[in-house]
Amino acid sequence: MGRMETETVTLPLVATCALGLEDVLGDELRELGASAIKADRGAVRFEGDHAVAYRCCLRSRVASRVLLKLRRFPVSDARALYGGVHSIRWSDHIGANDTLRVDFVGGSEEIHDARFGAMKTKDGIVDRIREDQGDRPNIDLRAPDVRVRVHMREGHASVLLDLSGDPLFQRGWRTDGGPAPLKETLASALLRLAGWPEAARHGKALVDPMCGSGTFLVEGAEMALGRAAGRNRSFGFERWRFYRYWLYRRWLN
């Protein structure tokens, strides 16, 4: 994939969020350049090129994760799951020397254990990479190079590449959130619902009389300053085989 093709290809993307925040997230994604936005349950499907995908990871304050949809296919049993996963050209995304983690959500009558679903997915991935590259990636559950997620419901499996890596509420600045911290993504969603971005543009003040760990105030201040939410952290797409730093660096500031 060349430089120009990487810039212009349209990707099928999914951003996840807390239930009830789909419309808030959709509005934010639209501001970040997303198109074909469609709310789902706890998620928003959208389209964008590589720059939009990078920008949404870096600058979204409401999304929990940003995922690239690789394929959706019907699954009747474990063999069909393995075959559908194996049919994906994994060498486009993962190298034999990379490490891998698979997360499996949902199930069916035939596949009702998430660990079994994750194992069959892993088998399909590593077998295909071994066939194409002569070796296979290792599994790393704590700090993998590449995370793959499978959502299975209504007899179909969706296979997605996790571009965010760690959850996006982990901004990279907090070391201790206290006993019951408010997630940064939820705080930002509530601030958007309260009209804070517009109020900040008019020079109004943000007051949090019940300030605990300061999440509302920090998120509010950074929103007012226009700072990128993830500027102090890394992302999963930085270890993706299609990653282009020259394209990502445009959105670092």
Side-chain angles (χ1 to χ4, degrees):
M1 179 176 286
R3 175 173 175 143
M4 184 57 66
E5 186 182 354
T6 303
E7 260 190 296
T8 58
V9 67
T10 299
L11 304 173
L13 300 161
V14 179
T16 62
C17 63
L19 288 174
L21 298 180
E22 296 88 354
D23 290 343
V24 180
L25 175 57
D27 289 341
E28 183 189 53
L29 294 173
R30 190 173 292 105
E31 293 171 6
L32 293 171
S35 60
I37 294 168
K38 186 175 182 180
D40 204 341
R41 189 173 186 270
V44 176
R45 287 175 281 161
F46 65 103
E47 294 179 354
D49 59 15
H50 285 72
V52 168
Y54 297 161
R55 188 159 65 245
C56 289
C57 287
L58 177 67
R59 303 199 71 91
S60 175
R61 291 189 173 274
V62 180
S64 300
R65 292 185 182 276
V66 176
L67 310 163
L68 170 64
K69 186 175 179 180
L70 299 180
R71 186 159 298 173
R72 183 176 184 268
F73 52 88
V75 173
S76 56
D77 53 24
R79 181 177 295 182
L81 174 62
Y82 173 91
V85 171
H86 184 272
S87 69
I88 297 170
R89 201 164 69 179
W90 287 104
S91 292
D92 287 349
H93 308 287
I94 306 172
N97 294 323
D98 292 331
T99 55
L100 169 70
R101 170 174 175 156
V102 176
D103 293 301
F104 192 95
V105 179
S108 67
E109 291 185 4
E110 294 288 335
I111 304 172
H112 49 79
D113 183 85
R115 290 173 297 180
F116 177 72
M119 181 189 72
K120 297 305 292 185
T121 300
K122 179 267 296 179
D123 290 345
I125 295 172
V126 300
D127 287 352
R128 177 62 188 265
I129 293 174
R130 185 190 290 112
E131 292 168 13
D132 291 345
Q133 301 183 41
D135 203 352
R136 51 153 287 177
N138 290 318
I139 302 301
D140 186 341
L141 299 180
R142 301 192 65 182
D145 293 315
V146 178
R147 296 174 187 248
V148 174
R149 299 177 68 85
V150 177
H151 294 178
M152 186 170 174
R153 66 179 183 181
E154 299 177 353
H156 286 75
S158 294
V159 182
L160 307 110
L161 191 73
D162 191 339
L163 300 182
S164 45
D166 291 329
L168 293 179
F169 76 84
Q170 297 179 11
R171 307 293 201 219
W173 59 265
R174 189 192 295 278
T175 57
D176 183 7
L182 178 69
K183 284 186 177 179
E184 287 75 3
T185 47
L186 178 56
S188 283
L190 294 174
L191 287 168
R192 288 181 68 93
L193 286 169
W196 167 243
E198 181 66 21
R201 284 192 288 270
H202 287 85
K204 295 185 178 180
L206 176 63
V207 178
D208 181 6
M210 297 182 291
C211 179
S213 57
T215 306
F216 274 120
L217 298 179
V218 172
E219 289 295 306
E222 295 207 332
M223 290 168 77
L225 293 170
R227 291 180 175 173
R231 70 187 187 283
N232 294 319
R233 54 161 287 168
S234 61
F235 298 97
F237 64 71
E238 294 177 69
R239 293 178 294 279
W240 181 28
R241 293 197 108 185
F242 278 158
Y243 173 55
R244 300 293 183 266
Y245 176 72
W246 57 264
L247 189 56
Y248 169 54
R249 68 185 178 186
R250 299 178 185 178
W251 314 107
L252 283 174
N253 295 324

